[in-house]
Amino acid sequence: MKIATVDFEKVLNKYKPYKDSMELLDKYQNDFSLKMNKIREEMERIVNSSRSLLLDDKTKSENVQRMRELQSKAAESESEFRVSFAENQREEMDNNFKQIIDIVNDLVKKSEFDMVLNKNSVIFQKSEFEITDEIIGSISKIGMLSD
């Protein structure tokens, strides 16, 4: 039985769709941060204005109510973000791994290897069983190699 190994991390880092996925997730995270910053800024304005001794009871009450609304909105937004981000991240990673595995399968069908393992789970191997560069070459041939 002939076994090959692939450094999936190295392959992913060379795979353009993976880089695109990471950029998409970063943008999603940055958009959430901007949303939270706006909430935080409004909360800071309320706190700063509440320090004034000139506020009447009605304004103080409105500030307290608004702070509660903002805290609730922030907590709800964070909860929604965590769930949504985890789902998006899982979906993106699943798609990328499936595509890479399809590329590996295509290469292995043309070779003499019976099994392919992730290099990170192998303690020792001879260099001749390492097919990472061949996988990266296949990615390049289909135009999916990133810089």
Side-chain angles (χ1 to χ4, degrees), residues 20-35:
D20 294 344
S21 292
M22 293 300 99
E23 287 176 11
L24 179 72
L25 292 171
D26 284 346
K27 182 187 179 324
Y28 188 66
Q29 210 164 17
N30 289 336
D31 290 348
F32 172 73
S33 292
L34 290 173
K35 180 179 180 178

Side-chain angles (χ1 to χ4, degrees), residues 90-136:
R90 181 191 47 74
E91 185 177 309
E92 290 293 326
M93 293 305 293
D94 286 351
N95 288 337
N96 282 290
F97 278 121
K98 182 190 176 310
Q99 292 166 8
I100 294 294
I101 288 171
D102 288 345
I103 293 168
V104 170
N105 284 337
D106 287 345
L107 183 69
V108 169
K109 285 176 187 174
K110 299 171 190 171
S111 70
E112 62 215 44
F113 294 106
D114 300 307
M115 183 183 301
V116 178
L117 302 172
N118 187 343
K119 184 178 179 180
N120 294 334
S121 62
V122 175
I123 296 171
F124 173 78
Q125 72 175 26
K126 291 182 178 179
S127 61
E128 65 214 44
F129 299 116
E130 169 72 38
I131 61 170
T132 301
D133 290 337
E134 288 87 347
I135 300 299
I136 292 171

